[in-house]
Amino acid sequence: MALQTARTPLESYGTSTHGSLLLLLLGLGWMLPSRAQAADTGLGLTTPWLQHTSRDQSWPQPELTVIIPRAWRGTEKKACPPGRKAQVVDEKLVFYEEWELEACVDGALLAAQMDRVNLIPFTYQHLHIFKRKLDKFYPQGYPESLIQHLRYFFLSVTPEDIYKWNVTSLETVKSLLEVSKGHKMDAQVAALIARYVVRGGQLDKATLETLATLHPTYLCRLSPEQLGSMSLNVVWVTRPQDLDACSPQQIAVLYPKARIVFKNMTGSEYFENIKPYLGGAPMEDLRALSQQNINMDLATFKKLQTEAVLPLTIAEVQKLLGPNLVGLKAEKGNSLVQDWISRQSQDDLDSLGLGLHGGIPNGYLVLDFNVREALSGGPHLLGPGPVLIVTSNLLLAFILS
């Protein structure tokens, strides 16, 4: 353990204050290094007493408060000593003090010789200093000419760093993905993929296979076409939170993969695993789930595809939600819930005893032209609302006639 001091000659401790402090330190068993040693190492007072007490916990350890005079607080930037300025990245730098690396190595040299940085066993602290140098040299983000040579230096960067990059080379992406294996770099990988695909970069099958072995926080950055090319392995490593930012189109691509992966599961086990992907489930699969007593929560229900929910009957939704059906009233403002209610008979809704309103009144007909127009290729001129108005007017005219 060491205490940093200013390099003041011993003779200057002639005042009573300095003399008292010196006597106190000597009385505690602290030793002063020689002036030459202090100048050579940059270290001040050493403390064998404290080293002894750290080894022997039975020794009484009084709480010490050391007041360091202002003259000892030397925090000014040190200049590089003569002859120590680094002209090449080599093994000699391993033996530099940290302040020497700060003073004697510049960002331009590191950028030009990044390949050599990766070949030398620098400590994490050394690499931290190098990164600070590079960040200062490239305040707007690393150029791709440097990114291509980062290799294991990639382990030192943050997602915030990566979001400043412009990555256009698939080979660069592949090399950095290889480096990230076995390390907790999910956020960095997601940022790397985002920076690559945002400029139209395409991922080949081999890269997608590599991505499928990592925690896929990057999934929602990929296009539906790219997701479709990924192997089923991606489902095994995907966590629910990895899908939070995915669009319905992306979930629709991932759902069939998940259905295949979990096909041998049944009951609640199957439901819990498939639940994050149900936003891509078709009507037929929802009907099948309604027969399995799964008690779907409202949050999952609201993420289902509208076209898959609207054809479901009241009995099917009741079985699908189980006791969670009572929550439909609180969600009546949700567009999916509202659209489904508008397709149901009001009498049937009343039978649920939930106070749901907005269904089809008794005696009204809904003429759905969607099927006919879909077959003919014509436009959808009338929705459910106008159809109800037209139907009621026809009925009124028939009665009056």
Side-chain angles (χ1 to χ4, degrees):
M1 179 176 179
L3 179 66
Q4 184 72 33
T5 72
R7 298 172 184 171
T8 307
L10 187 59
E11 293 81 5
S12 67
Y13 289 94
T15 66
S16 59
T17 301
H18 288 159
S20 300
L21 177 60
L22 180 58
L23 290 174
L24 173 61
L25 297 178
L26 292 174
L28 290 173
W30 292 35
M31 298 192 320
L32 284 170
S34 68
R35 188 180 309 172
Q37 180 184 1
D40 182 58
T41 64
L43 297 178
L45 302 175
T46 60
T47 163
W49 179 80
L50 288 180
Q51 292 173 1
H52 175 75
T53 56
S54 67
R55 292 191 300 265
D56 184 2
Q57 298 301 318
S58 64
W59 187 303
Q61 300 182 30
E63 182 176 347
L64 296 179
T65 301
V66 179
I67 300 175
I68 304 177
R70 180 175 300 177
W72 294 13
R73 303 172 191 166
T75 57
E76 66 279 2
K77 184 177 180 180
K78 299 179 181 179
C80 182
R84 300 286 281 176
K85 181 70 174 178
Q87 304 299 326
V88 64
V89 175
D90 59 17
E91 293 80 0
K92 294 178 182 178
L93 296 182
V94 173
F95 303 101
Y96 274 44
E97 298 286 345
E98 291 175 11
W99 70 266
E100 288 183 297
L101 291 178
E102 289 278 8
C104 304
V105 180
D106 59 48
L109 175 65
L110 294 171
Q113 300 190 20
M114 180 53 65
D115 288 335
R116 295 186 61 82
V117 172
N118 283 300
L119 293 175
I120 299 170
F122 290 113
T123 67
Y124 287 118
Q125 185 58 29
H126 291 160
L127 295 177
H128 179 72
I129 294 172
F130 292 165
K131 180 181 180 300
R132 191 160 61 241
K133 289 279 186 180
L134 286 170
D135 292 349
K136 186 176 180 179
F137 191 68
Y138 295 115
Q140 303 303 318
Y142 300 170
E144 189 156 17
S145 59
L146 172 59
I147 299 169
Q148 290 172 343
H149 297 277
L150 285 182
R151 293 296 295 162
Y152 290 100
F153 197 84
F154 182 60
L155 302 177
S156 302
V157 305
T158 67
E160 291 72 24
D161 297 325
I162 298 171
Y163 280 116
K164 297 179 182 179
W165 298 355
N166 287 322
V167 184
T168 61
S169 167
L170 180 59
E171 292 306 313
T172 298
V173 173
K174 288 182 176 182
S175 68
L176 297 182
L177 286 179
E178 188 66 27
V179 169
S180 70
K181 287 182 178 180
H183 302 275
K184 295 181 178 179
M185 300 191 68
D186 298 348
Q188 285 89 336
V189 168
L192 177 65
I193 297 302
R195 295 307 299 161
Y196 178 65
V197 301
V198 74
R199 299 178 66 86
Q202 298 297 313
L203 299 172
D204 62 12
K205 184 175 179 60
T207 306
L208 291 171
E209 289 291 342
T210 300
L211 287 173
T213 66
L214 306 172
H215 276 310
T217 53
Y218 57 81
L219 269 186
C220 301
R221 302 284 187 178
L222 304 182
S223 67
E225 293 74 22
Q226 290 171 329
L227 290 175
S229 299
M230 299 191 77
S231 71
L232 299 179
N233 291 335
V234 70
V235 175
W236 288 114
V237 295
T238 299
R239 302 161 299 184
Q241 61 266 33
D242 297 331
L243 304 174
D244 287 345
C246 286
S247 68
Q249 293 79 12
Q250 291 168 314
I251 295 295
V253 172
L254 291 171
Y255 172 76
K257 296 180 184 293
R259 193 170 183 273
I260 294 173
V261 168
F262 304 133
K263 65 181 179 180
N264 293 328
M265 301 178 184
T266 57
S268 60
E269 181 186 16
Y270 175 78
F271 175 67
E272 288 302 318
N273 281 280
I274 201 70
K275 185 165 68 172
Y277 302 90
L278 285 177
M283 174 195 64
E284 294 79 11
D285 288 7
L286 296 180
R287 279 183 169 155
L289 282 175
S290 71
Q291 306 301 316
Q292 298 182 26
N293 193 29
I294 61 172
N295 300 331
M296 181 182 293
D297 56 275
L298 266 298
T300 301
F301 183 79
K302 290 187 296 181
K303 293 179 181 179
L304 301 178
Q305 297 183 85
T306 300
E307 58 270 26
V309 172
L310 293 185
L312 298 180
T313 66
I314 286 182
E316 289 167 341
V317 170
Q318 190 172 18
K319 290 179 180 178
L320 195 64
L321 297 178
N324 297 319
L325 184 72
V326 298
L328 279 182
K329 184 174 183 180
E331 300 292 345
K332 62 183 180 181
N334 177 268
S335 59
L336 172 62
V337 175
Q338 199 173 55
D339 288 347
W340 179 78
I341 288 176
S342 69
R343 294 291 188 97
Q344 312 307 313
S345 162
Q346 186 59 49
D347 285 350
D348 292 338
L349 291 172
D350 292 340
S351 68
L352 297 175
L354 301 177
L356 298 176
H357 300 288
I360 304 169
N362 187 33
Y364 277 63
L365 299 175
V366 177
L367 303 180
D368 192 348
F369 293 106
N370 289 343
V371 174
R372 184 185 66 188
E373 290 170 0
L375 293 175
S376 64
H380 295 192
L381 298 178
L382 297 176
V387 170
L388 284 175
I389 295 173
V390 172
T391 305
S392 60
N393 289 339
L394 289 174
L395 289 173
L396 181 61
F398 176 75
I399 294 171
L400 293 177
S401 64

